[in-house]
């Protein structure tokens, strides 16, 4: 599920992560965003992204 979330967020990162955070290291910002998610939030977001 984490890989799926990473790939989906990578396509539209500005929807979830600020431009400032993305400007430093896009992939690190996405990984940090996902790592900070609760299990419930990640599951619900994954359902919504399909």
């Amino acid at each position: 599920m984490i890989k799926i979330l990473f790939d989906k967020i990578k396509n539209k990162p500005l929807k979830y992560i600020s431009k400032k955070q993305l400007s430093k290291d896009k992939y690190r910002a996405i990984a940090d965003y996902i790592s900070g998610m609760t299990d419930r939030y990640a599951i619900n977001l994954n359902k919504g992204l399909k």
Side-chain angles (χ1 to χ4, degrees):
M1 179 173 39
I2 293 172
K3 182 167 176 21
I4 293 168
L5 283 171
F6 189 93
D7 291 339
K8 297 288 184 177
I9 293 170
K10 182 175 65 172
N11 292 332
K12 293 185 181 180
L14 288 174
K15 184 175 179 180
Y16 305 98
I17 306 168
S18 73
K19 192 174 187 178
K20 181 180 177 182
Q21 290 174 312
L22 291 169
S23 68
K24 294 179 183 177
D25 183 352
K26 177 181 176 180
Y27 299 115
R28 176 61 185 236
I30 295 169
D32 288 347
Y33 179 73
I34 293 171
S35 71
M37 291 180 181
T38 62
D39 292 345
R40 181 174 289 166
Y41 180 74
I43 291 166
N44 288 335
L45 184 60
N46 189 47
K47 287 179 184 177
L49 291 174
K50 290 185 178 180

